Amino acid sequence: MYKNIRLKDIVSITGASIFSGEVNGPVKGISIDTRTLREGEVFLAVKGKNFNGHDFLSEAAGRGCAAVIVDCESSGNPAGLGVPVLRVGDTLKAMADIAARFRSMADIPVLAVTGTNGKTTVKDMAAACISGEFKVLKSRDSYNNIIGLSLTLFELSREYEAAVVEMGTNHPGEIDGLGAIASPTCAAITNIGDGHLEFFGDRKGVLREKRRIFDHIRPGGRKFVNGDDELLFEYASSEKGVETFGFREGCDHVISLIDITDDLSAFCVDGIEYTVNAGGRHNVLNASAAVLMALDCGVPREKIKEGLRCALLPDMRLQKIEAGNIVFINDAYNANPSSFVAAADYLSDMSVKTTKCLIAGDMLELGPGAEAFHHTAGAAAAARKIDLLITMGRYAGAFAHGARGNGMPTEKVLLAADHRQA
């Protein structure tokens, strides 16, 4: 942590009431998991979809925690634990309040990324781009909700000179809350796709949510959006101070391709050449966002180039796995229609001469238009000259119908009952 924090500071930050114990002791950190909790840390009893921290208060006390923070309406009696007990209205809000305070104590660049696709990739690329200049803290994996962002910021200490975080959402208002916690010095929106439409209605609803990240940029901070995304291009043209990057003419930062292969892309941004160890036009866009954010931090171009050359794609993003003479490309994170098309484009553009097979499962949280989106995805697979399509899941029929209806031979479209059959 950036300065010594005591329990009384946690009481002040969260507005907690003291149920029992003394609050003059020091705090060595914040934890929500008794399996990794270290002696001297405060245990926050957070409730998740599949867990309730209030069930583990005794374990936390047994591991030597400095205190426990519980909900006022939590079941059970936290008395007799032998450690201070603090009560708050909502432990999740308390978590966010503590994370925001930790962030406010750190006078460092904080780069934030949101968008329907590419958040984790851009976050990892941006961290690589600035790592030659700064000691960087970045979100682990896809830690992009209020719990993940808070856990990331809990790790802030004087050793870190910059941070890179990602922000995701599936309900209105989440980006606003995450932006308030992170208070970024620079931010980028990767794209606006058909993700989580069950909760946002349409792409314009997604845009309204994603653009809230810019409401929390610190004074002087720059705002970047993907200008190849039509909605973001229109938004930037009417919003002062928002800069676009992309292949299309009219972008503030124009990208041009030099060479692209299955595993490597050479490209220019504003006339300067960069290389990234990833194929696909979508990854060139991701890398360009990372470059622009790194430049905003004042990192020299040569260090950015070196960092980007060393950047690795996150797990399950075009991850290659060889099994005998078959190469599997694992792109199996939480997909949506635009990320599906990007993956299909990559497979179609691969230089291999052998059979190209696309295995497609369900895309979730697409609302009432889900069947139509899967039909369109099947049509996209057919348009990209994929040799074989195997589908499974609730919307396998829609996938198959879309592919067959757009010219893919019936015998080349297979419906599987489960993973084993696929």
Side-chain angles (χ1 to χ4, degrees), residues 90 106 245 256 335:
D90 181 355
F245 60 91
S256 57

Side-chain angles (χ1 to χ4, degrees), residues 70-185:
V70 300
D71 283 342
C72 288
E73 298 179 359
S74 62
S75 59
N77 185 355
L81 291 175
V83 298
V85 177
L86 311 180
R87 276 187 157 167
V88 295
D90 181 355
T91 49
L92 200 59
K93 181 181 182 303
M95 186 178 194
D97 290 341
I98 296 169
R101 179 64 62 88
F102 281 18
R103 161 64 183 114
S104 70
M105 294 189 296
D107 186 18
I108 60 173
V110 173
L111 284 57
V113 186
T114 192
T116 304
N117 308 313
K119 296 182 292 294
T120 304
T121 300
V122 173
K123 178 254 299 180
D124 286 352
M125 287 181 175
C129 284
I130 68 175
S131 61
E133 188 77 0
F134 301 109
K135 172 69 174 177
V136 184
L137 171 68
K138 69 171 182 176
S139 304
R140 283 183 247 159
D141 303 319
S142 296
Y143 272 30
N144 59 30
N145 60 11
I146 191 169
I147 293 178
L149 177 63
S150 297
L151 289 174
T152 299
L153 295 178
F154 288 164
E155 295 181 27
L156 275 173
S157 65
R158 291 187 183 278
E159 70 175 295
Y160 291 112
E161 301 167 317
V164 187
V165 299
E166 63 173 287
M167 300 178 185
T169 176
N170 58 16
H171 285 83
E174 284 188 271
I175 294 295
D176 191 37
L178 296 173
I181 294 170
S183 186
T185 54

Side-chain angles (χ1 to χ4, degrees), residues 5-10 22-28 66 84:
I5 298 289
R6 304 189 72 80
L7 271 179
K8 63 181 180 181
D9 299 314
I10 298 296
E22 299 291 329
V23 293
N24 293 319
V27 172
K28 293 183 179 179

Side-chain angles (χ1 to χ4, degrees), residues 359-377:
I359 306 172
D362 286 342
M363 298 177 287
L364 306 181
E365 297 182 354
L366 293 177
E371 188 156 343
F373 281 120
H374 286 81
H375 184 279
T376 301

Side-chain angles (χ1 to χ4, degrees), residues 127-418:
C129 284
I130 68 175
S131 61
E133 188 77 0
F134 301 109
K135 172 69 174 177
V136 184
L137 171 68
K138 69 171 182 176
S139 304
R140 283 183 247 159
D141 303 319
S142 296
Y143 272 30
N144 59 30
N145 60 11
I146 191 169
I147 293 178
L149 177 63
S150 297
L151 289 174
T152 299
L153 295 178
F154 288 164
E155 295 181 27
L156 275 173
S157 65
R158 291 187 183 278
E159 70 175 295
Y160 291 112
E161 301 167 317
V164 187
V165 299
E166 63 173 287
M167 300 178 185
T169 176
N170 58 16
H171 285 83
E174 284 188 271
I175 294 295
D176 191 37
L178 296 173
I181 294 170
S183 186
T185 54
C186 174
I189 304 178
T190 59
N191 48 44
I192 302 297
D194 299 305
H196 306 298
L197 297 188
E198 181 179 350
F199 309 102
F200 295 116
D202 56 22
R203 286 191 179 194
K204 290 184 178 179
V206 177
L207 172 62
R208 283 192 295 271
E209 173 71 8
K210 298 293 187 183
R211 71 185 185 188
R212 294 302 299 272
I213 193 173
F214 293 147
D215 293 345
H216 300 281
I217 292 278
R218 292 197 170 185
R222 293 171 73 182
K223 311 167 186 177
F224 300 105
V225 300
N226 174 3
D228 284 2
D229 183 293
E230 199 61 45
L231 276 179
L232 285 174
F233 189 79
E234 292 176 5
Y235 162 67
S237 66
S238 62
E239 191 76 15
K240 185 177 179 181
V242 178
E243 303 173 50
T244 54
F245 60 91
F247 292 100
R248 70 188 292 169
E249 291 184 15
C251 284
D252 299 303
H253 305 279
V254 177
I255 305 168
S256 57
L257 277 178
I258 298 173
D259 187 32
I260 187 167
T261 66
D262 297 346
D263 302 306
L264 189 73
S265 299
F267 62 99
C268 287
V269 180
D270 296 333
I272 306 298
E273 184 176 343
Y274 301 90
T275 303
V276 64
N277 290 314
R281 286 172 64 93
H282 64 293
N283 277 321
V284 173
L285 284 164
N286 291 334
S288 299
V291 165
L292 292 170
M293 297 176 81
L295 288 170
D296 183 61
C297 290
V299 180
R301 291 187 190 277
E302 289 307 313
K303 289 188 176 181
I304 293 174
K305 291 181 181 182
E306 183 179 352
L308 188 59
R309 280 194 296 267
C310 298
L312 300 175
L313 290 181
D315 286 345
M316 295 195 295
R317 270 70 167 183
L318 300 183
Q319 181 180 9
K320 289 190 176 181
I321 303 167
E322 294 190 19
N325 61 347
I326 299 174
V327 176
F328 289 94
I329 301 170
N330 182 2
D331 207 52
Y333 56 97
N334 186 16
N336 54 64
S338 49
S339 66
F340 176 88
V341 169
D345 280 336
Y346 177 80
L347 180 61
S348 179
D349 292 339
M350 285 188 72
S351 57
V352 296
K353 304 301 182 184
T354 53
T355 300
K356 296 177 182 179
C357 174
L358 181 60
I359 306 172
D362 286 342
M363 298 177 287
L364 306 181
E365 297 182 354
L366 293 177
E371 188 156 343
F373 281 120
H374 286 81
H375 184 279
T376 301
R384 280 154 182 79
K385 303 291 188 293
I386 303 298
D387 298 306
L388 181 66
L389 175 66
I390 301 175
T391 73
M392 68 185 109
R394 178 180 178 183
Y395 299 106
F399 258 125
H401 190 264
R404 289 168 176 161
N406 284 270
M408 200 164 189
T410 299
E411 69 273 13
K412 297 297 185 181
V413 181
L414 307 179
L415 278 71
D418 53 31

